[in-house]
Amino acid sequence: MKQDTICVQGGYTPGNGEPRQVPIIQSTTFKYATSEDMGKLFDLEADGYFYSRLQNPTNDIVAKKICELEGGTAAMLTSSGQAATFYAIFNIASCGDHVVSSASIYGGSYNLFAVTMKRMGIEFTFVDPDCTEEELNAAFRPNTKAVFGETIANPALTVLDIEKFAKAAHRHGVPLIIDNTFATPVNCRPFEWGADIVTHSTTKYMDGHGAGLGGCIVDSGKFDWTKYPEKFPGLCTPDESYHGVTYTERFGLGGAFITKATAQLMRDFGSMQAPSNAFLLNMGLESLHVRMKRHCENGQAVAEFLQNHPKIAWVNYSGLPGNKYYALAQKYLPNGSCGVVSFGVKGGRQAAETFMKHLKIAAIETHVADARTCCLHPASSTHRQMNDAELAAAGVGADLVRLSCGLEASEDLIADLAQALEQV
Ligand SMILES: *Cc1c(COP(=O)(O)O)cnc(C)c1O
């Protein structure tokens, strides 16, 4: 099936007389006739539900749709994008291990890696996404367990050379994990370029309406853990907490990673998405293919308008021919990137604040990627503890405005920007 059809119908095919809409199974627990039946679930010998901290049927339907969209073999939902990122890495890296990550990633992921996971004994080396293959290869250590990057980085809008990162990861016998939140599988399917695991903050375009927090992990089933059993003992040797199950043996390459993340990490950390949120997420997915097109059209129109405006210092949008990432975007994102555009207002911090104060359609929010256009001035909000020199070093200038183009008419968005710029 084509992506558009999967968006609408994937993951769920009701039988005769069953609900047409994905049912919300609002139940923490599930009933069994005998203890023996339930025992089989606890030994991972039978498939089934017993407690919604680990698995829920509504969530599994929605995860299956995202799995089909990405072209994977197995998937799971999580309560947030942060949980998805954490689980994807912690599933294969423990205390004493090392991970190579692109330096151009979401701020929340950076904190998770550089502060919290570091406290757990996992070390990260951050590399410039535009580095050479030699520089990238030099970042690996004998204890490296994974490589991480974002298809389109939030907020820097860097486009990752996925093939370059996949090649380096595979040369060192580890998987490439890609956060595909901004591109969505409608605009890029990282597995087709060599990525092994994909993560999402479904809070963004997938939900698309700012309604529910959520995350997702998808496995391509292509990474052969059994070639490196000493590197990935959690997948290739018996799990004592499940009576000696070896995930790669019992569930194969297509199922081992997600089964382990569900059976161990979801059991122990419980970052489960509420089934009612999964229902809302599915509603968002039903129109994802239609919405992404409009987000990209609006992003392009707004970027072109801003580029030609005398009060704008610079515009960063990979759909503009002069952009540093234009060529990579043409390769990895031929149908468009996303609706997020960043730019600088001439006059710096003060000008940016004045400009934003006068916007009428674009609301000031610490959010991106939903139906309503919103914007943020990091220097006076998310990054306000930094002075101008520190901001510049972080690649977030005092003049930077991040605008997330929604689904409104581009003419209205442009008129709103124009009138606010007149006030500067
Ligand atoms: C928002 C975001 C996250 C974190 O997702 P939450 O759902 O907010 O936990 C991770 N990666 C990217 C690229 C994001 O934009």
Side-chain angles (χ1 to χ4, degrees):
M1 282 195 292
K2 295 231 186 288
Q3 290 278 91
D4 296 17
T5 310
I6 300 170
C7 279
V8 182
Q9 301 233 2
Y12 179 61
T13 311
N16 241 358
E18 286 179 358
R20 186 68 190 98
Q21 180 56 281
V22 169
I24 303 174
I25 308 296
Q26 191 69 41
S27 183
T28 59
T29 190
F30 301 82
K31 180 219 150 190
Y32 287 91
T34 68
S35 301
E36 202 188 336
D37 289 343
M38 184 163 276
K40 285 188 183 141
L41 300 177
F42 275 88
D43 282 348
L44 301 180
E45 278 173 8
D47 233 0
Y49 299 94
F50 55 94
Y51 192 47
S52 283
R53 175 164 26 88
L54 286 88
Q55 271 186 295
N56 174 280
T58 307
N59 293 23
D60 283 352
I61 287 170
V62 183
K64 187 159 176 260
K65 176 180 281 190
I66 298 173
C67 188
E68 288 174 20
L69 285 171
E70 288 287 7
T73 55
M76 66 195 285
L77 296 189
T78 57
S79 55
S80 67
Q82 286 297 100
T85 306
F86 172 62
Y87 280 25
I89 293 174
F90 198 64
N91 206 29
I92 46 173
S94 322
C95 184
D97 289 339
H98 172 258
V99 175
V100 175
S101 173
S102 163
S104 186
I105 53 172
Y106 176 62
S109 305
Y110 183 82
N111 280 336
L112 172 66
F113 297 166
V115 180
T116 301
M117 291 184 81
K118 189 172 176 207
R119 279 175 51 212
M120 303 171 101
I122 302 172
E123 269 212 73
F124 287 77
T125 297
F126 295 96
V127 295
D128 183 338
D130 305 326
C131 66
T132 63
E133 285 189 33
E134 294 73 57
E135 287 165 336
L136 186 50
N137 286 325
F140 287 80
R141 300 179 191 169
N143 58 342
T144 302
K145 296 297 169 77
V147 178
F148 182 88
E150 288 177 23
T151 312
I152 306 168
N154 174 14
L157 304 179
T158 315
V159 178
L160 192 74
D161 188 344
I162 300 174
E163 280 191 318
K164 178 178 79 181
F165 273 69
K167 202 169 133 198
H170 297 159
R171 175 178 299 160
H172 294 89
V174 301
L176 173 62
I177 303 172
I178 291 288
D179 179 337
N180 199 31
T181 298
F182 266 27
T184 84
V186 169
N187 283 342
C188 179
R189 303 214 302 171
F191 294 157
E192 290 171 0
W193 301 103
D196 303 287
I197 309 284
V198 158
T199 60
H200 283 280
S201 165
T202 63
T203 316
K204 312 293 166 52
Y205 287 118
M206 284 190 168
D207 169 299
H209 300 79
L213 221 45
C216 185
I217 309 172
V218 189
D219 182 11
S220 68
K222 285 191 291 193
F223 192 83
D224 192 352
W225 313 103
T226 63
K227 269 168 77 180
Y228 316 97
E230 71 298 332
K231 244 190 194 117
F232 304 107
L235 285 158
C236 303
T237 56
D239 177 356
E240 292 317 321
S241 72
Y242 280 105
H243 299 291
V245 164
T246 297
Y247 292 99
T248 44
E249 279 174 16
R250 178 78 63 85
F251 303 100
L253 294 184
F257 187 88
I258 294 295
T259 305
K260 177 178 180 290
T262 301
Q264 283 182 345
L265 303 185
M266 212 42 110
R267 176 195 63 190
D268 297 347
F269 293 114
S271 317
M272 196 58 173
Q273 187 167 143
S276 50
N277 271 16
F279 174 86
L280 292 172
L281 168 57
N282 187 56
M283 296 262 272
L285 290 169
E286 286 182 5
S287 62
L288 182 66
H289 55 301
V290 183
R291 291 185 290 106
M292 284 314 287
K293 222 171 144 207
R294 173 60 80 87
H295 282 297
C296 292
E297 284 166 10
N298 283 354
Q300 187 73 29
V302 160
E304 286 172 9
F305 164 77
L306 290 169
Q307 191 181 33
N308 296 318
H309 197 286
K311 289 188 180 172
I312 294 296
W314 54 271
V315 180
N316 182 13
Y317 188 70
S318 64
L320 294 176
N323 187 270
K324 185 177 176 191
Y325 296 101
Y326 182 75
L328 283 174
Q330 292 295 303
K331 174 176 173 179
Y332 292 107
L333 305 153
N335 301 322
S337 56
C338 64
V340 183
V341 181
S342 63
F343 54 93
V345 183
K346 282 183 188 164
R349 180 188 296 263
Q350 190 59 50
E353 285 183 18
T354 306
F355 160 72
M356 286 181 54
K357 194 165 68 188
H358 288 95
L359 288 168
K360 295 191 169 79
I361 294 177
I364 299 175
E365 294 171 28
T366 51
H367 189 49
V368 286
D370 85 52
R372 293 157 291 255
T373 294
C374 58
C375 62
L376 188 75
H377 180 224
S380 62
S381 57
T382 50
H383 293 62
R384 70 179 288 126
Q385 72 281 7
M386 296 182 177
N387 62 36
D388 284 12
E390 287 169 331
L391 285 169
V396 184
D399 64 343
L400 185 147
V401 176
R402 183 185 69 185
L403 181 75
S404 170
C405 297
L407 301 176
E408 303 90 341
S410 61
E411 294 86 344
D412 290 335
L413 295 181
I414 288 170
D416 191 30
L417 296 170
Q419 65 80 24
L421 282 168
E422 265 171 41
Q423 310 293 324
V424 177

